[in-house]
Amino acid sequence: MEFLEVLKRRRTTNGPFLPDPVSAEHQRVLVEAAAMAPSHFNSQPWRFVLVDDREKIEEVASISGESMTRLMEEGTFWKRYRPYFRFSEKEMEERRDGIFIDQMPSVLKPFRKQIFSNTGQAVMNRFGVPKTLGEDNRKLVAGSPLLLAVLLDKAEYRPGELSGFYSVFGMGAAVENIWLTTTELGMGIQFVSTPMEILENWDRIHRLLEVPDDLELMAVYRLGYVPEDQRRPTIDWSSRQRKRLSQYVFRNSCATPEQDPEGR
Ligand SMILES: Cc1cc2nc3c(=O)[nH]c(=O)nc-3n(C[C@H](O)[C@H](O)[C@H](O)COP(=O)(O)O)c2cc1C
């Protein structure tokens, strides 16, 4: 694939993967692509754990599903992420970021109007919506042939210091390399983020992966080959919407937004 085509096609896969294992060669290509990323003083502060052990994947899946149910039941998800939801096409068209509320999982659609209110929360709980979403999440993770944990060397990752910032920056570049490479290999990738939202569940993942004291666990992803026809999953928080140039690029100083190309 042409490089710019890969950039355009890269996306978050929120649906199921094929059950086929990720070949050893592709696993190697992914982590070698990661290592080509830039890092401060070539420190290469990233570490990766490739998880293809079925039992471990099932365990992470259970923790992820449970976390999703709890975040939805307790309303934490909505409180934490409300600013990212857009409520009309007009707002979406103006801001061109975030997630259009219409994109929400079908089980949530009936509650669209009250989703951020206490009443809406109570109704959703009564209808068992959090459990449905949790189970869907568990199945998606369990059905993934490969998980990838991303860690940082704590000698470099020192939050609050420049080195901490640099190592996160480098890690982002490494993860983007992996993300782009999945596109080239016919694979998909998605954050398994719910466990990190609940401290004790994140601790369970640490124990499962036997993370040593000198490493910081930063993220877990699920990966696999994508089927030809990708149906929209119940949980799809991703959005292809992008800001106009004038909303994020400036010319010579922050006072002059870049002009948008004509017709955009
Ligand atoms: C730091 C970070 C955290 C993210 N967290 C999640 C997540 O928890 N679940 C998920 O499905 N996608 C997650 N995403 C993916 C974004 O939702 C996605 O990139 C965005 O909606 C644009 O969609 P696209 O990647 O398909 O272009 C995350 C992306 C980043 C960079």
Side-chain angles (χ1 to χ4, degrees):
M1 232 185 270
E2 290 289 328
F3 180 67
L4 290 179
E5 191 58 28
V6 172
L7 280 188
K8 270 193 220 149
R9 287 207 200 174
R10 181 218 55 80
R11 62 194 49 185
T12 298
T13 303
N14 290 352
F17 296 126
L18 294 171
D20 317 29
V22 177
S23 73
E25 194 207 330
H26 284 173
Q27 294 191 31
R28 189 180 43 76
V29 170
L30 289 168
V31 286
E32 283 180 355
M36 285 172 206
S39 59
H40 60 295
F41 294 99
N42 195 26
S43 53
Q44 303 171 56
W46 45 72
R47 302 289 180 272
F48 299 99
V49 184
L50 292 158
V51 182
D52 57 5
D53 177 78
R54 189 83 321 259
E55 258 179 51
K56 277 210 159 68
I57 293 175
E58 300 273 350
E59 181 78 14
V60 173
S62 297
I63 298 171
S64 183
E66 263 175 52
S67 308
M68 171 67 90
T69 301
R70 217 174 113 185
L71 289 167
M72 291 288 169
E73 235 160 36
E74 294 172 359
T76 323
F77 181 89
W78 306 113
K79 280 189 204 102
R80 220 166 257 173
Y81 299 117
R82 193 185 199 287
Y84 300 102
F85 286 93
R86 308 282 165 258
F87 296 90
S88 69
E89 282 189 41
K90 186 166 165 278
E91 190 188 6
M92 192 77 212
E93 183 50 32
E94 270 163 24
R95 296 197 47 153
R96 293 192 165 218
D97 63 4
I99 312 282
F100 187 31
I101 198 93
D102 251 26
Q103 290 263 102
M104 64 176 24
S106 54
V107 282
L108 288 174
K109 283 218 167 125
F111 311 101
R112 184 177 180 276
K113 294 240 158 63
Q114 322 101 311
I115 211 155
F116 292 101
S117 72
N118 289 341
T119 332
Q121 183 69 53
V123 178
M124 283 191 290
N125 288 359
R126 203 162 343 113
F127 279 91
V129 173
K131 284 212 169 55
T132 309
L133 293 175
E135 180 54 14
D136 284 357
N137 178 274
R138 189 198 64 74
K139 276 197 226 142
L140 276 181
V141 179
S144 307
L146 185 69
L147 302 182
L148 178 78
V150 183
L151 307 97
L152 279 178
D153 178 356
K154 280 193 192 166
E156 297 302 331
Y157 179 64
R158 301 191 299 270
E161 291 183 36
L162 265 180
S163 172
F165 164 70
Y166 290 152
S167 44
V168 171
F169 201 100
M171 178 189 72
V175 170
E176 176 70 351
N177 279 3
I178 293 177
W179 213 315
L180 292 171
T181 305
T182 60
T183 312
E184 172 70 25
L185 299 178
M187 294 177 62
I189 180 167
Q190 185 188 22
F191 244 96
V192 180
S193 59
T194 55
M196 67 195 298
E197 308 249 2
I198 297 173
L199 193 60
E200 62 266 31
N201 287 354
W202 198 226
D203 285 344
R204 285 163 72 191
I205 305 276
H206 276 82
R207 288 196 291 277
L208 198 69
L209 300 176
E210 301 176 76
V211 176
D213 286 345
D214 59 343
L215 295 181
E216 184 78 28
L217 178 62
M218 302 297 287
V220 175
Y221 292 87
R222 62 181 195 95
L223 297 95
Y225 298 104
V226 284
E228 290 274 309
D229 64 324
Q230 287 184 60
R231 266 182 294 130
R232 186 131 187 278
T234 53
I235 302 174
D236 182 7
W237 306 115
S238 76
S239 171
R240 300 303 297 165
Q241 188 68 272
R242 292 299 190 262
K243 290 180 194 288
R244 292 186 186 85
L245 287 191
S246 58
Q247 292 175 305
Y248 71 98
V249 182
F250 302 85
R251 182 66 64 173
N252 295 320
S253 86
C254 296
T256 318
E258 182 75 347
Q259 297 234 317
D260 288 316
E262 254 180 59
R264 289 207 222 163

